């Protein structure tokens, strides 16, 4: 029987998106000034810059979707709830370990980044527990450390398939304690 689980989380816009947004705003302002002084060419540049700006603005509203199927993880990037792009797929056989970002080993690996390619598909909020998936290298020599925002259902799903490679401890207690706090309030 196949198991399937899906989770959608908000992501932080990439720095290059903010740079593109700044470039687009500069081009709009400059071409508007030129358009007032010169010809139709400035108007065409202005229209192109506005289209570029609108396309870039879509990527400011960024979400990541994790689809878990029989232990495999597919990660997609969604912009403005309308543009979807598959970022990567992690096969179950390539996963070396799944652990919390609060674990000392994971913290050290996130700080060093010398022999690992770190890919963060979360909202990147400080002091929030995320989960690190260590993935075997695929030819470039560097293993990957993929950071994900998994909920209890996703962790249960992965625990079934990873067995000894699943190193997360106490994830149910955190969810249960937050449920108890909600009941008390």
């Amino acid at each position: 029987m196949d198991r399937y689980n899906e989770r959608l989380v908000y992501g932080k816009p990439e720095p290059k998106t903010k740079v593109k947004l700044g470039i687009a705003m500069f081009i709009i302002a400059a071409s508007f000034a030129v358009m007032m002084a010169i010809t139709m060419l400035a108007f065409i540049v202005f229209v192109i810059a506005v289209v570029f700006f609108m396309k870039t603005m879509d990527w400011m509203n960024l979400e990541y979707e994790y689809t878990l199927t029989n232990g495999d993880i597919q990660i997609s990037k969604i912009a403005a709830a309308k543009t979807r792009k598959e970022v990567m797929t992690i096969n179950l056989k390539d996963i070396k370990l799944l652990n919390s970002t609060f674990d000392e080993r994971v913290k050290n690996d996130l700080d060093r980044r010398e022999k690992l390619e770190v890919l963060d598909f979360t909202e990147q909020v400080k002091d929030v527990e995320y989960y690190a998936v260590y993935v075997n290298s695929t030819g470039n020599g560097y293993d990957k450390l993929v950071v994900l925002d998994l909920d209890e259902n996703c962790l249960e799903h992965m625990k079934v398939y990873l067995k000894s490679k699943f190193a997360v401890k106490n994830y149910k207690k955190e969810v249960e304690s937050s449920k108890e706090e909600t009941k008390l309030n």
Side-chain angles (χ1 to χ4, degrees):
M1 176 169 90
D2 288 344
R3 288 190 66 174
Y4 177 83
N5 197 344
E6 193 170 280
R7 177 159 164 84
L8 181 67
V9 296
Y10 290 99
K12 189 175 186 179
E14 296 175 356
K16 66 181 180 182
T17 303
K18 292 179 181 179
V19 170
K20 287 179 183 177
L21 192 60
I23 291 169
M25 291 181 353
F26 174 77
I27 292 172
I28 289 171
S31 63
F32 185 75
V34 172
M35 181 178 66
M36 299 307 272
I38 305 185
T39 65
M40 192 63 164
L41 180 63
F43 179 72
I44 293 170
V45 171
F46 175 76
V47 169
I48 291 170
V50 168
V51 170
F52 180 72
F53 177 81
M54 297 303 291
K55 292 288 186 186
T56 304
M57 274 302 286
D58 284 349
W59 286 98
M60 293 300 289
N61 182 12
L62 182 64
E63 299 172 329
Y64 293 106
E65 180 183 63
Y66 316 134
T67 305
L68 285 66
T69 308
N70 297 330
D72 293 340
I73 305 170
Q74 178 185 353
I75 303 166
S76 298
K77 187 188 290 189
I78 303 170
K82 60 184 176 184
T83 305
R84 175 192 197 92
K85 178 181 177 186
E86 185 177 326
V87 179
M88 78 180 305
T89 299
I90 303 170
N91 293 320
L92 176 65
K93 64 178 174 55
D94 294 332
I95 297 175
K96 292 165 58 173
L97 181 72
L98 187 144
N99 205 351
S100 167
T101 53
F102 287 169
D103 183 76
E104 287 303 316
R105 175 186 172 190
V106 175
K107 284 181 185 178
N108 289 338
D109 288 341
L110 287 170
D111 289 340
R112 285 197 326 244
R113 298 182 182 223
E114 293 149 2
K115 296 190 177 183
L116 288 171
E117 179 184 354
V118 177
L119 303 168
D120 193 340
F121 300 112
T122 67
E123 199 171 358
Q124 301 174 12
V125 177
K126 272 191 165 230
D127 300 324
V128 172
E129 183 175 29
Y130 297 118
Y131 298 94
V133 179
Y134 288 84
V135 182
N136 286 323
S137 67
T138 56
N140 64 358
Y142 290 108
D143 286 346
K144 291 184 173 107
L145 175 61
V146 181
V147 182
L148 303 173
D149 184 3
L150 301 174
D151 63 3
E152 182 183 358
N153 291 333
C154 294
L155 290 169
E156 282 291 330
H157 178 100
M158 294 307 292
K159 185 176 183 177
V160 169
Y161 291 97
L162 290 176
K163 296 178 177 55
S164 65
K165 298 177 186 178
F166 186 88
V168 178
K169 297 176 180 84
N170 302 326
Y171 63 92
K172 285 185 181 177
K173 291 179 184 175
E174 295 167 11
V175 174
E176 289 172 2
S177 65
S178 67
K179 287 180 184 174
E180 289 175 13
E181 288 176 15
T182 307
K183 288 179 184 176
L184 294 174
N185 294 332

